[in-house]
Amino acid sequence: MPGTFEPLPGGGAAVALDHVEISIIRSLAVQLLEIIGPGPAEDAPDDPLAELFAEGPSEPPTDPVLRRLLPDAYCDPERTPASTEGAEQQRAYSAEFRRFTENDLRAGKRENALSVIRTLDALASAGEGGAVLSLSPEESRQWLGALNDLRLAIGARLEIADEDDTDLLYRLPDEDPRKPMAMAYLWLGGLQETLVSTLMP
C-alpha cells in the first residue's frame, strides 16, 4: 500500500503516508486554499435565497493558476471564432456563466481542500513511520477533486500545457529550480491515478 491508494471494503480508500508526505500534501492544500480565497464574509446575512442568487465576478482571474482552476466556459483561445462579433459573443456568454457559477466552484474547491487538511490533521499522531490514511467514499471524492486542483495549480506554475510537457519533467536536471515542484506534480499524479481506480465500479 505505500504510496498508492487501495480500496477499502464497503467503499472508500486507504493509503500509507509518511510524515514528510503528510506535511507536503497538507502544505500544498493550505496554499491552494490561499489561492482560491476566503468564503463569504461571516457577517453576511444568513439568507439562503441571497446566497442562491449571489453573483460572482464576470471577468476571468488574472492569476494563471486561478485561470486554470476556474477557466472560461465558452472562450477557448484555440477555438475562438475568427470574427470579432463571434469572439465578443463568446466573451459575453463566458462572463454571464462565470457570474452565476464561480462562487459555487470556489466553494466546492475550498471544501475539497479543507477535507484534505482535516483528514491529514486526524493523523497528527503519526510518528516518524507515518500512518495509514483511511477515507470514506465521500472523503475519497473530495480528495480526488483536491488532488486534481493541486495538479492543475502546479501545472500552471510549471507552464504544462500537454502530455509532451509532462514528459519533459522527467528529464529536468537536479539543479533546475523547478525540480521539487515537478516531482510533487508527478507524485500527486500517481496518487490521483490510484485513487481514481479505487472509485471505479
Side-chain angles (χ1 to χ4, degrees), residues 133-147:
L133 174 70
S134 296
L135 303 174
S136 68
E138 176 60 23
E139 289 169 339
S140 296
R141 286 187 285 276
Q142 290 175 318
W143 263 73
L144 189 59
L147 287 173

Side-chain angles (χ1 to χ4, degrees), residues 11-191:
V15 62
L17 298 170
D18 64 34
H19 70 286
V20 173
E21 293 168 331
I22 292 169
S23 176
I24 290 171
I25 297 173
R26 191 186 188 287
S27 174
L28 290 172
V30 168
Q31 291 176 56
L32 181 62
L33 277 177
E34 291 171 355
I35 291 169
I36 295 169
E42 291 180 6
D43 57 354
D46 189 17
D47 180 356
L49 284 177
E51 289 181 19
L52 182 64
F53 293 105
E55 293 184 9
S58 58
E59 293 298 317
T62 56
D63 183 334
V65 171
L66 277 176
R67 275 203 310 272
R68 185 79 62 94
L69 291 171
L70 304 163
D72 272 329
Y74 299 98
C75 290
D76 182 346
E78 295 180 6
R79 297 192 182 112
T80 300
S83 72
T84 305
E85 182 182 342
E88 286 298 323
Q89 188 176 45
Q90 278 195 352
R91 278 192 283 274
Y93 289 155
S94 288
E96 188 74 359
F97 186 82
R98 182 178 294 280
R99 200 156 54 96
F100 291 106
T101 60
E102 184 169 309
N103 286 346
D104 285 342
L105 283 173
R106 284 183 186 250
K109 292 176 184 300
R110 193 179 299 113
E111 189 54 41
N112 290 342
L114 283 170
S115 176
V116 168
I117 293 167
R118 288 186 196 112
T119 52
L120 291 176
D121 284 350
L123 295 179
S125 60
E128 288 293 314
V132 174
L133 174 70
S134 296
L135 303 174
S136 68
E138 176 60 23
E139 289 169 339
S140 296
R141 286 187 285 276
Q142 290 175 318
W143 263 73
L144 189 59
L147 287 173
N148 186 61
D149 287 342
L150 287 172
R151 293 191 79 237
L152 286 173
I154 295 172
R157 291 288 187 240
L158 291 171
E159 299 181 346
I160 294 172
D162 54 36
E163 196 60 37
D164 290 339
D165 293 336
T166 302
D167 291 340
L168 293 174
L169 298 180
Y170 289 100
R171 298 194 291 276
L172 285 178
D174 290 342
E175 61 273 13
D176 192 307
R178 298 170 297 168
K179 184 75 176 228
M181 200 183 303
M183 297 303 292
Y185 178 86
L186 296 170
W187 172 55
L188 293 173
L191 281 177

